[in-house]
Amino acid sequence: AVDVKGFDSALEEQRERSRADRAQSGLELSHEDLRQGWQTLQEQSEQRFTGYDQLESETDVLAIRISEGGLALQVAENPFYVEGGGQVSDTGLVEGNGWSCEILDVAKIRDRVALLGTVPEGAFPTSLDGSLRVRAVVDSGSRRDTQRNHTATHLLHAALRRVLGTHVAQRGSLVSPDRLRFDFSHTAPMTADERHEVEEVVLDGVWEDHPLTIGTRTYDEAVRDGAMALFGEKYDDLVRVVEIPSVSMELCGGTHVGHTGEIGLFKITSESGVAAGVRRIEAVTGRQALRSLEEQASRLDEVAAVLGTSPDNAVARAGQILAQK
């Protein structure tokens, strides 16, 4: 038998401890706390996600929640992506008449998405009566970096299946502006040659500049056409299919670049084991990949300076010193 009442009681005690810890440390309210305390500005209005096509919306506020130092908004035309499918939430700005709010997080509150941010003390009216019109703007640089990493994750998945075998299947992922992380089924560490070949396959996909095809199909149609679905994941009858022609087709609700060439660069930074039969690759793209290569070149310059030679001769010089010492 399961002691459901005892479980609920222990869970509530844990929530109380968490609330106390957050209050003591000054952290914002959790997403669970945000389910209460909303002021409705528009009754029976639907919210629509516009972030696939645009990063900015002039829109009405459907509901608002004002707390000490914090502001939460539910807007009718929402361009902010909420965390899902491994992709992190957007950040950005919401501007009103004489005030602005920096959006630091996005949360799913029942059947809507809420934008969570902060405003300077006294900059926002403490009470509202009637409608409120705002301008919601996603941080475009952060979003585009995230999109590069998300599309690169699809290229990486396809490359791993091509190099290691079709037994490779996704076991988890993280897509953020600064990096991507991809967990996959495989029984052994990758060799240096395998890592290099996977990088080459991904980069070929980038430089061939494939246009992405994104559309909605029924789940059965998508699977019949060869779309990759995550094992154990629940899907609606209608699904969003992201296809890189001749390379990859996956069920995915995330945001992506228009052409693979927008990714620019791709570099694997690590490959490791995280569980029995599960490996993890971390990688960077675009600007972060360039920074990673620049840092490696800078370290090589430092090594060459210590060895008293040029970067081109650093390996030979190190060999001479080892032979002598």
Side-chain angles (χ1 to χ4, degrees), residues 55-201:
L55 299 181
E56 181 178 326
S57 293
E58 295 281 347
T59 181
D60 293 322
V61 176
L62 304 178
I64 191 168
R65 190 184 192 282
I66 304 170
S67 60
E68 187 175 350
L71 184 67
L73 303 161
Q74 298 175 18
V75 297
E77 307 288 320
N78 170 43
F80 285 78
Y81 184 86
V82 62
E83 182 175 359
Q87 181 175 329
V88 301
S89 297
D90 284 327
T91 58
L93 192 72
V94 170
E95 297 176 322
N97 185 15
W99 60 271
S100 65
C101 173
E102 182 182 6
I103 302 302
L104 304 174
D105 198 5
V106 185
K108 194 74 180 291
I109 308 297
R110 297 189 180 91
D111 59 345
R112 285 183 182 172
V113 169
L115 313 181
L116 317 179
T118 59
V119 289
E121 187 175 353
F124 189 81
T126 55
S127 61
L128 292 170
D129 186 17
S131 62
L132 180 63
R133 189 83 175 167
V134 297
R135 177 171 168 262
V137 184
V138 173
D139 183 329
S140 60
S142 177
R143 166 68 87 80
R144 290 192 178 100
D145 286 341
T146 301
Q147 291 179 169
R148 290 185 184 98
N149 285 333
H150 205 154
T151 304
T153 300
H154 287 214
L155 289 174
L156 173 61
H157 191 184
L160 288 167
R161 289 174 60 84
R162 175 173 163 181
V163 173
L164 301 180
T166 55
H167 66 278
V168 168
Q170 181 176 339
R171 290 292 180 259
S173 69
L174 170 70
V175 180
S176 65
D178 60 333
R179 66 190 174 105
L180 67 90
R181 186 182 73 213
F182 187 74
D183 296 348
F184 59 99
S185 55
H186 190 54
T187 55
M190 292 175 63
T191 65
D193 286 343
E194 287 171 339
R195 282 182 52 164
H196 178 72
E197 187 176 356
V198 166
E199 278 189 342
E200 287 294 312
V201 172

Side-chain angles (χ1 to χ4, degrees), residues 177-310:
D178 60 333
R179 66 190 174 105
L180 67 90
R181 186 182 73 213
F182 187 74
D183 296 348
F184 59 99
S185 55
H186 190 54
T187 55
M190 292 175 63
T191 65
D193 286 343
E194 287 171 339
R195 282 182 52 164
H196 178 72
E197 187 176 356
V198 166
E199 278 189 342
E200 287 294 312
V201 172
V202 172
L203 285 168
D204 284 343
V206 171
W207 294 330
E208 287 169 4
D209 197 26
H210 297 285
L212 269 71
T213 303
I214 302 176
T216 303
R217 308 182 195 180
T218 67
Y219 175 81
D220 291 340
E221 286 175 344
V223 172
R224 182 197 64 205
D225 293 341
M228 295 281 292
L230 295 183
F231 178 77
E233 189 81 7
K234 292 183 178 179
Y235 294 98
D236 295 331
D237 292 337
L238 286 177
V239 293
R240 187 168 180 264
V241 180
V242 176
E243 182 177 4
I244 304 172
S246 75
V247 177
S248 167
M249 183 189 296
E250 297 193 31
L251 307 186
C252 180
T255 63
H256 290 270
V257 299
H259 289 72
T260 58
E262 296 174 41
I263 297 170
L265 291 174
F266 173 86
K267 182 66 179 174
I268 294 175
T269 57
S270 69
E271 189 271 340
S272 60
V274 293
V278 179
R279 308 297 298 176
R280 169 173 293 174
I281 280 181
E282 297 200 34
V284 287
T285 65
R287 291 180 290 187
Q288 292 296 333
L290 179 60
R291 292 191 186 106
S292 176
L293 294 173
E294 288 173 339
E295 288 171 2
Q296 290 182 27
S298 178
R299 285 195 294 271
L300 179 57
D301 288 341
E302 293 176 12
V303 169
V306 170
L307 297 175
T309 187
S310 67

